């Protein structure tokens, strides 16, 4: 694998009294100038602001994306804080409409209280906003579903001129609006399809990675929900397979107040593997960063046990801590070849890894710019954590650059809300509807008010 010269940003220290909205969540990018944040209280105020103002505008959401995604152009322009445009707007027996800035945690809590779930499996971090999740392609795991945007029935946006547009699932532009990169308009409401909640029993196993090339697809074809973490240096995989719980398991779950059931049998077979990874992380961290959260994300793989719970209790368990996270979607049919390529490269280079390779597969998405558009997809995720001083190890940098180039060479499509080197990708070749998306953008935002340097480089 040839290594590119991309350098990931270092983390800046936290400043007393600063407006945290002016930096992204990881504190590695400045989003705009002091005084550039506007926070409308209502959709009407937002419409009036866009109608009576000019200049570039970007939405900051939960600020979890890389800065280039949400910063305003050249530091000049307006950052929209839409946090007050959140919460439940309306609901029916099988739908719920939320403000675009509602956190996924609030969406999931409302549905859970009604005994319901989305058609889409959750990602691990629920602090992000609903609009941000749609706009960047947030996804979970399982071939019977795709990204969270796949659960959207209708999306309401305020356009650059202050007018309001509604897009339902039958609208010809809906596949563009489902994942718009924040470049089409301001999402103020999303109607989601809900269904009766299923209770899952998730079986966790430690397996040898020798046949991972074929095992991965088999696991995903034979189970409803699957997530795997691959530790190449130890040739081990921890795999979670979740299926509908038995009547007895559901009864036990209900008897416990519908709290996650953790079974008594504990598997310690990966403890030495986890300790090896933790040692790499400690060596590179130069002290404990973010109150040790990064260490906890790895130590959770020790002493694991099967569980029974709803989809959010089982899978939405992430520990949010600043990191550099690269995730590339590969057609599922090619995933085995990519695993073999990574194995060969790892055997040659033996990189120091802070976290296992995350393997999540989804079904095809209708969204034109979704990495899983039109095909079953395996997402390969790679994480390097910040050191206590905000730096990144050069070995970690090199590791991420090398694996991304390898996956890009295999036709990979990067997750929009994470880090990637855009020079590696031929976007029109990767996305058959790329030009159609650009045409929708020209129609909805002809003056490109929602553009910044990043989206201009992509779309212009």
């Amino acid at each position: 694998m040839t290594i590119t010269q991309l350098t990931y940003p270092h983390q800046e220290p936290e400043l007393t009294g600063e407006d945290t909205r002016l930096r992204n969540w990881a504190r590695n990018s400045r989003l705009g100038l002091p005084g550039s944040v506007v926070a409308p209280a209502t959709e009407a105020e937002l419409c009036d602001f866009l109608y009576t103002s000019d200049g570039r505008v970007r939405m900051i959401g939960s600020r979890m994306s890389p800065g280039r995604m949400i910063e305003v152009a050249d530091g000049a322009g307006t950052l929209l804080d839409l946090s007050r445009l959140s919460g439940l707007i309306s609901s029916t027996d099988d739908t719920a409409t939320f403000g675009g800035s509602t956190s996924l945690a609030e969406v999931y809590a409302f549905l859970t209280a009604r005994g319901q779930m989305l058609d889409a499996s959750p990602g691990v971090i629920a602090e992000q906003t609903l609009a941000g999740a749609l706009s960047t392609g947030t996804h979970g795991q399982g071939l019977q579903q795709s990204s969270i945007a796949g659960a959207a029935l209708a999306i309401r946006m305020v356009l650059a001129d202050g007018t309001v547009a509604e897009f339902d699932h039958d609208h010809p532009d809906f596949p563009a609006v489902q994942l718009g990169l924040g470049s089409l308009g301001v999402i103020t409401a999303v109607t989601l399809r809900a269904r009766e909640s299923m209770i899952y029993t998730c079986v966790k196993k430690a397996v040898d990675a020798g046949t991972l090339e074929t095992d991965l697809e088999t696991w995903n074809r034979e189970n409803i929900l699957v997530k795997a973490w691959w530790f190449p240096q130890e040739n081990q995989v921890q795999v979670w397979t979740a299926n509908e719980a038995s009547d007895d398991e559901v009864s036990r779950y209900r008897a416990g107040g519908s709290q996650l059931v953790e079974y008594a049998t504990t598997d310690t077979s990966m403890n030495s593997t986890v300790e090896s990874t933790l040692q790499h992380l400690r060596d590179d961290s130069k002290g404990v960063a973010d109150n040790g959260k990064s260490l906890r994300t790895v130590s959770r793989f020790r002493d694991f046990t099967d569980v029974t719970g709803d989809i959010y209790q089982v899978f939405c368990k992430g520990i949010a801590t600043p990191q550099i996270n690269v995730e590339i979607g590969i057609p599922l049919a090619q995933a085995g070849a990519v695993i073999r390529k990574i194995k060969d490269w790892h055997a040659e280079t033996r990189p120091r890894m802070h976290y296992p390779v995350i393997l999540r597969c989804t079904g095809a998405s209708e969204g034109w710019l979704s990495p899983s558009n039109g095909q079953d997809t395996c997402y390969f995720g790679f994480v390097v954590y910040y050191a206590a001083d905000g730096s990144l190890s050069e070995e970690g940098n090199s590791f991420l650059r090398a694996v991304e180039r390898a996956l890009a060479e295999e036709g990979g499509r990067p997750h929009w809300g994470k880090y990637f080197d855009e020079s590696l990708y031929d976007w029109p070749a990767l996305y058959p509807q790329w030009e159609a998306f650009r045409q929708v953008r020209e129609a909805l935002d002809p003056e490109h008010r929602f553009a910044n340097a990043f989206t201009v480089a992509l779309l212009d």
Side-chain angles (χ1 to χ4, degrees), residues 9-13 23 25-28 289 322-323 386-391:
H10 283 204
Q11 185 181 51
E12 298 177 6
R23 290 199 285 175
W25 166 75
R27 299 201 319 273
N28 61 23
Q323 60 193 244
Y386 283 103
D389 64 1
S391 66

Side-chain angles (χ1 to χ4, degrees), residues 181 369 416 427-428 431-439 458-459:
L181 302 177
L369 295 194
W416 294 107
W427 305 112
Y431 291 98
Q433 298 298 323
W434 187 263
E435 184 57 33
F437 180 88
R438 293 181 69 249
Q439 291 174 10
L458 285 177
L459 300 169

Side-chain angles (χ1 to χ4, degrees), residues 267-285:
D267 192 324
T268 62
S269 61
M270 292 195 73
N271 287 8
S272 61
T273 292
V274 171
E275 186 53 44
S276 175
T277 302
L278 284 170
Q279 191 57 54
H280 289 169
L281 179 52
R282 292 189 193 100
D283 291 345
D284 289 344
S285 293

Side-chain angles (χ1 to χ4, degrees), residues 13 35 81 97 162-163 189 237 245 251 253 318 321 326 332 335 340 356 380 423:
D81 173 2
T97 300
T163 60
V237 181
S251 295
Y253 172 73
T321 185
V326 172
L332 181 57
R340 170 50 57 193
F380 289 71
S423 71

Side-chain angles (χ1 to χ4, degrees), residues 291-362:
N291 297 316
K293 287 183 180 178
S294 59
L295 299 177
R296 295 204 299 275
T297 66
V298 179
S299 61
R300 291 181 308 162
F301 294 106
R302 286 191 297 222
D303 301 323
F304 57 89
T305 182
D306 299 344
V307 298
T308 294
D310 69 31
I311 195 169
Y312 306 116
Q313 293 168 325
V314 173
F315 285 102
C316 201
K317 306 281 285 183
I319 299 173
T321 185
Q323 60 193 244
I324 299 296
N325 189 327
V326 172
E327 187 176 42
I328 312 296
I330 294 289
L332 181 57
Q334 296 171 225
V338 171
I339 289 170
R340 170 50 57 193
K341 191 172 186 177
I342 294 175
K343 282 183 175 181
D344 291 344
W345 169 76
H346 189 276
E348 179 182 345
T349 61
R350 304 296 295 178
R352 295 166 62 85
M353 296 178 64
H354 293 176
Y355 200 78
V357 180
I358 309 162
L359 300 170
R360 293 187 291 170
C361 300
T362 74

Side-chain angles (χ1 to χ4, degrees), residues 191-206:
T191 299
L192 299 165
R193 179 192 301 108
R195 64 181 179 89
E196 183 179 357
S197 182
M198 180 183 292
I199 305 306
Y200 298 87
T201 290
C202 180
V203 176
K204 305 178 183 180
K205 294 181 179 179

